[in-house]
């Protein structure tokens, strides 16, 4: 059975997911989901809704796993 690791990087502009083969260290797939800040906030305010990060993380993981699966077949 193959062991995969998923790395996640969430920042102010996007969330990235990386799928790596745990045995070889080979990157099998990567996906990015971009998002914006909450609009119409006071000057200098930079905020995002927590669900934006949650949804972007789930989407990036799904896309990366699909890519990894198609490359492993």
């Amino acid at each position: 059975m193959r062991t995969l690791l998923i790395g996640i990087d969430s920042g102010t502009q996007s969330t990235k997911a990386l799928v790596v083969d745990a045995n070889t260290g080979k990157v099998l797939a990567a996906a990015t989901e971009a998002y914006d800040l909450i609009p119409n906030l006071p000057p200098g305010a930079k905020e995002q809704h927590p669900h934006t990060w949650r949804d972007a993380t789930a989407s990036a993981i799904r896309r990366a796993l699909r890519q990894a699966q198609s490359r492993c077949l």
Side-chain angles (χ1 to χ4, degrees):
M1 175 186 236
R2 182 179 236 173
T3 301
L4 303 178
L5 303 174
I6 299 174
I8 299 168
D9 173 26
S10 290
T12 57
Q13 297 180 347
S14 67
T15 294
K16 298 169 235 17
L18 188 71
V19 180
V20 178
D21 184 305
N23 295 321
T24 66
K26 180 180 176 185
V27 175
L28 301 175
T32 301
E33 285 293 320
Y35 38 78
D36 295 318
L37 297 171
I38 298 173
N40 305 317
L41 294 175
K46 307 230 184 299
E47 296 183 24
Q48 293 167 318
H49 293 291
H51 65 81
T52 299
W53 283 28
R54 179 200 64 207
D55 296 347
T57 300
S59 179
I61 290 171
R62 278 192 302 273
R63 288 181 43 229
L65 287 174
R66 264 184 270 156
Q67 285 179 27
Q69 183 180 20
S70 68
R71 290 183 181 157
C72 293
L73 296 177

